[in-house]
Amino acid sequence: MKGLLVKDFILMKKNIKYILLVGLVLVYLFYRQDALNNLIIASGFLVGYMSSAGMLVATRTVSTDEDDNTSTYLFTLPFSRKTYVLEKYIFCFLVGAICFIISVVIILILCYFRNQLRIKETLYVASCVFAITTIIFDIMLPVELKFSKAASRIILVLLLLLFIAVIGFVGIFLINYGNKIAFLANMTYTKLLLYLYLIAAVALVISYLISLRIVSHKEF
Amino acid sequence: MLNVNHIKKNYQDFSLDCSFELKPGTITGLIGKNGSGKTTLFKIIMGLLESDSGEVSLFNKKLTDLSNVDKQKVSVIFSDAGFHSQLRPNDLIPILKNFYPDFDEDYFIWEVKRQKLGLDKPIKKLSTGMEAKLKLIIALSQKPKILLLDEPTLGLDVLARNETYESLQNFMNDDQERSILISSHNSSDLENLCDNLILIDNGQILLYEETDKILSDYALIKVTEDQFKTLPKDYILRFDKQIYGYSCLTNQKQFYLENCPDITIEPGNIDDLLTLMTTGETL
C-alpha cells in the first residue's frame, strides 16, 4: 500500500502545477472585494474548486497507471487488487482532504485580514461543498477504473452535467417548496450537514464495492 | 518453484495450451516467434490474465493464495511495460523500497550510474536500449528468487545483450535457489544461457528439452530426394523441402552418424530447430 501511495504522490506532484496556478488565480479573485461580493458563496466556490480539482488529479492517477502499458507491469508488483482499489480511495480522499484544509485555512486567513471573519458560516459551507465533492468523486473513481482514458473523460463530463442538473433541480425544488415540507422547513444546518455526509458515506461504500468488482475482473 | 500445469487460454484465432516446470537453480528459455504466445503465458503466470483451465503454482501455492511476501520473491520484466515514463530512476528508489524489503538501493544507484542512465532522467527520455537496461537493474535490485523475463534484450545491441546475459549468470551464481524463465525470439542468444529450452508456436509447446541434449543429440540432416527415399525415418521429427532435396531434423544424431555415413549431418543449433519445428512437416 505504502509503495502505491508513494508512487501516486510522486506522479501527482509532476502534474499538480496547473491546478495550483488556477487555485492561485481563484485566491486572488477571492481576495478582491469587487470580484466576488458574497463572501460565503465565494468560500464555497474556492473549497469546491480546490477539493474537486485535488480529487480529480488524484483520480487521474488511475488513467496514468494505464499510460504506456504501465498497469501490466504495476500489477506484477507485490500487492493485491483489493489493496490497489483501497489505495486509490485513500489517496484520493487524502488529496481531497489536504486541498480542503488548505483552502479553508486560506479563506479564514483572507477573511481575517479583511476583518470579515465568520468562522462558523465558512466552515458550514465548506463542509457541505466537501461532502458534495466526495459524492462526485464516488462516481468518478469507478468510471475511471472501468473505462479507457478517452471513454472515461466523456462519461465523466456527462455524469457531471447530470449531477449539476440534479443539484439544480433539487435547489429549485427546495426554494419553491422547501418551506411547505415540514421535514425540510425544520432542517438545521447541522442536520443538513449530517445527512449530506451520511449520503456521501453510503455512496463511498457502494462506490468502493463497485470498484473492487471492476478491478478484480480486469485483465491486462 | 514454478509449475505450469495444462494452462489453457482460448481466443478467437489463438489457443494456448502449456505445461512445464521451473526448477531451482535453472534457467529456462522460452523460444518462439512473435505472436506464438510467450507474453500471454507470462501474463497468465503473473495473474494478469485468467486462464480458461489449468493451474499455475508458485512456491507450491496457487496464484490466488500467494501472499505479498511470496510476490516479493518474483520479479518480472516485460519489453513493452514498466514504470510510468514520467518517473526518474531517483523516483523509483522510495517506491521500490516500500514494495521490496530486500531492495538493494546501493546496487541500484551504482548500476544506474555505471550504465550512465542518469538518476534524474525521466524514463521517457531514455532510449529503448537504456530502458531495457533500467528494467533489468530494477528487477535484479529486488533480489528475487524467480526472474520472469519477457524479451528483456529487445532493443539491445550485441554488446549490451552479452552484458545482460552476464548479469543474469552472476545473479544465478549468487544463489543456487534462484531460477529464471526468459523468453526471446533471438534463439541463438539463449543457447549459451539456458539449461532448458521450451519451443512454443501457436500457443503449443513443440519442444521442451535440456539445452545440452539439444546440442548433443539433435542434428540437421541434409539429403537429396533419392537419399530421402531410403533414409530411415524412425527418428525424423520434422522435414522441409529444399532446393537440394530435404532438410530433416532428428533427435538421434548418433543413430544417423552410425547408420547413414553418406549423408550430410550438421550439429543442431537452436535456430535450425526453431525453423524446422515451426515450419517443417511431420511424417
Side-chain angles (χ1 to χ4, degrees):
Chain A
M1 170 85 80
K2 205 175 160 197
L4 284 170
L5 282 170
V6 170
K7 171 194 75 70
D8 281 343
F9 271 113
I10 291 172
L11 277 172
M12 199 189 72
K13 209 173 76 184
K14 293 179 190 291
N15 298 309
I16 205 164
K17 49 184 178 262
Y18 304 108
I19 303 290
L20 286 178
L21 194 69
V22 182
L24 282 175
V25 173
L26 280 176
V27 169
Y28 174 72
L29 287 175
F30 180 85
Y31 189 67
R32 282 184 56 186
Q33 180 74 29
D34 55 340
L36 293 162
N37 291 323
N38 193 324
L39 206 62
I40 298 299
I41 292 175
S43 307
F45 187 70
L46 187 64
V47 171
Y49 170 77
M50 293 286 276
S51 310
S52 56
M55 280 190 179
L56 184 72
V57 172
T59 313
R60 298 289 302 151
T61 57
V62 172
S63 45
T64 310
D65 284 346
E66 282 168 12
D67 287 346
D68 315 318
N69 245 346
T70 302
S71 51
T72 303
Y73 174 72
L74 198 64
F75 278 85
T76 66
L77 299 180
F79 62 82
S80 68
R81 293 185 179 214
K82 192 177 172 182
T83 305
Y84 180 80
V85 175
L86 194 63
E87 184 272 340
K88 284 295 171 206
Y89 277 83
I90 290 172
F91 176 67
C92 293
F93 188 77
L94 265 179
V95 173
I98 290 168
C99 291
F100 169 78
I101 292 166
I102 290 172
S103 52
V104 168
V105 168
I106 289 172
I107 289 164
L108 293 177
I109 291 171
L110 292 178
C111 290
Y112 175 77
F113 282 113
R114 284 168 51 184
N115 296 319
Q116 289 178 309
L117 191 60
R118 288 154 71 187
I119 296 175
K120 200 178 169 188
E121 287 91 335
T122 307
L123 286 180
Y124 265 133
V125 172
S127 305
C128 280
V129 172
F130 185 68
I132 294 169
T133 309
T134 312
I135 296 169
I136 297 174
F137 150 77
D138 291 336
I139 302 168
M140 275 164 55
L141 200 48
V143 172
E144 281 279 350
L145 287 165
K146 173 74 184 173
F147 299 98
S148 66
K149 205 172 179 175
S152 65
R153 276 182 192 170
I154 297 166
I155 293 166
L156 281 177
V157 170
L158 292 175
L159 281 173
L160 283 176
L161 288 174
L162 182 72
F163 192 81
I164 291 165
V166 170
I167 292 281
F169 178 77
V170 172
I172 291 165
F173 177 81
L174 289 177
I175 288 165
N176 292 326
Y177 304 105
N179 288 335
K180 291 169 190 167
I181 303 169
F183 169 73
L184 292 172
N186 298 328
M187 178 86 77
T188 59
Y189 278 125
T190 317
K191 267 189 182 172
L192 175 72
L193 207 58
L194 195 74
Y195 285 130
L196 265 178
Y197 274 93
L198 201 66
I199 294 169
V202 172
L204 185 70
V205 173
I206 295 169
S207 169
Y208 172 75
L209 292 174
I210 293 171
S211 296
L212 194 61
R213 194 175 160 79
I214 291 167
V215 174
S216 300
H217 291 89
K218 216 167 185 178
E219 291 200 325
F220 301 94
Chain B
M1 294 185 98
L2 166 68
N3 206 308
V4 176
N5 192 12
H6 291 292
I7 281 297
K8 288 185 183 175
K9 180 81 178 168
N10 295 308
Y11 293 105
Q12 206 167 12
D13 52 354
F14 176 81
S15 180
L16 181 83
D17 184 354
C18 289
S19 293
F20 66 90
E21 192 184 355
L22 197 61
K23 288 178 181 164
T26 62
I27 304 179
T28 300
L30 192 61
I31 304 170
K33 54 192 180 188
N34 293 333
S36 57
K38 302 189 294 289
T39 303
T40 305
L41 186 57
F42 273 96
K43 286 185 174 180
I44 290 173
I45 292 170
M46 287 314 296
L48 299 170
L49 288 176
E50 210 170 315
S51 62
D52 297 333
S53 62
E55 196 177 89
V56 176
S57 59
L58 267 164
F59 311 114
N60 295 320
K61 288 181 186 175
K62 283 183 190 175
L63 284 185
T64 46
D65 297 336
L66 287 179
S67 66
N68 285 347
V69 176
D70 295 322
K71 287 180 188 175
Q72 281 162 356
K73 294 180 200 159
V74 185
S75 291
V76 187
I77 292 181
F78 286 111
S79 62
D80 61 347
F83 276 110
H84 196 274
S85 59
Q86 281 188 331
L87 295 171
R88 307 161 304 153
N90 254 342
D91 296 328
L92 301 180
I93 296 170
I95 299 172
L96 291 167
K97 263 166 112 172
N98 279 297
F99 277 125
Y100 298 93
D102 294 336
F103 172 67
D104 192 339
E105 186 178 346
D106 294 337
Y107 168 84
F108 180 85
I109 293 172
W110 184 78
E111 273 295 316
V112 168
K113 282 182 179 171
R114 188 182 72 83
Q115 308 235 30
K116 296 185 175 69
L117 303 180
L119 280 166
D120 284 316
K121 206 173 186 178
I123 294 172
K124 65 183 169 193
K125 289 194 176 167
L126 298 177
S127 67
T128 313
M130 288 165 98
E131 201 181 328
K133 286 177 184 175
L134 179 64
K135 283 177 184 173
L136 186 68
I137 296 169
I138 292 169
L140 295 180
S141 61
Q142 293 163 8
K143 304 282 173 206
K145 286 286 178 198
I146 296 181
L147 257 182
L148 301 174
L149 312 172
D150 186 21
E151 301 276 5
T153 55
L154 205 69
L156 294 181
D157 56 40
V158 182
L159 285 175
R161 282 212 306 269
N162 288 340
E163 204 175 328
T164 298
Y165 297 136
E166 201 181 320
S167 300
L168 294 178
Q169 284 289 7
N170 292 336
F171 166 79
M172 291 297 287
N173 292 340
D174 286 348
D175 184 347
Q176 298 302 313
E177 289 300 302
R178 289 172 170 169
S179 61
I180 299 175
L181 177 67
I182 178 171
S183 81
S184 176
H185 59 266
N186 198 337
S187 48
S188 51
D189 279 359
L190 299 187
E191 198 172 293
N192 299 320
L193 179 76
C194 298
D195 303 296
N196 305 297
L197 288 171
I198 298 171
L199 186 60
I200 183 170
D201 191 47
N202 280 327
Q204 314 294 311
I205 291 180
L206 299 181
L207 186 86
Y208 179 21
E209 195 72 89
E210 286 176 21
T211 312
D212 288 345
K213 194 165 163 50
I214 290 172
L215 297 176
S216 64
D217 295 355
Y218 284 68
L220 195 67
I221 299 170
K222 293 181 173 177
V223 287
T224 62
E225 285 202 32
D226 290 339
Q227 285 174 321
F228 185 71
K229 283 174 192 164
T230 57
L231 186 77
K233 299 190 179 60
D234 302 351
Y235 304 111
I236 298 295
L237 300 172
R238 294 281 196 283
F239 70 96
D240 197 19
K241 185 90 174 79
Q242 302 287 340
I243 301 168
Y244 55 81
Y246 288 92
S247 67
C248 309
L249 182 73
T250 180
N251 59 352
Q252 296 290 336
K253 182 169 76 180
Q254 201 55 36
F255 171 82
Y256 289 97
L257 281 172
E258 286 170 7
N259 297 296
C260 311
D262 299 332
I263 60 172
T264 308
I265 300 175
E266 293 178 355
N269 66 57
I270 310 297
D271 280 331
D272 293 333
L273 195 79
L274 178 67
T275 309
L276 268 171
M277 287 301 283
T278 52
T279 61
E281 294 174 53
T282 47
L283 286 160

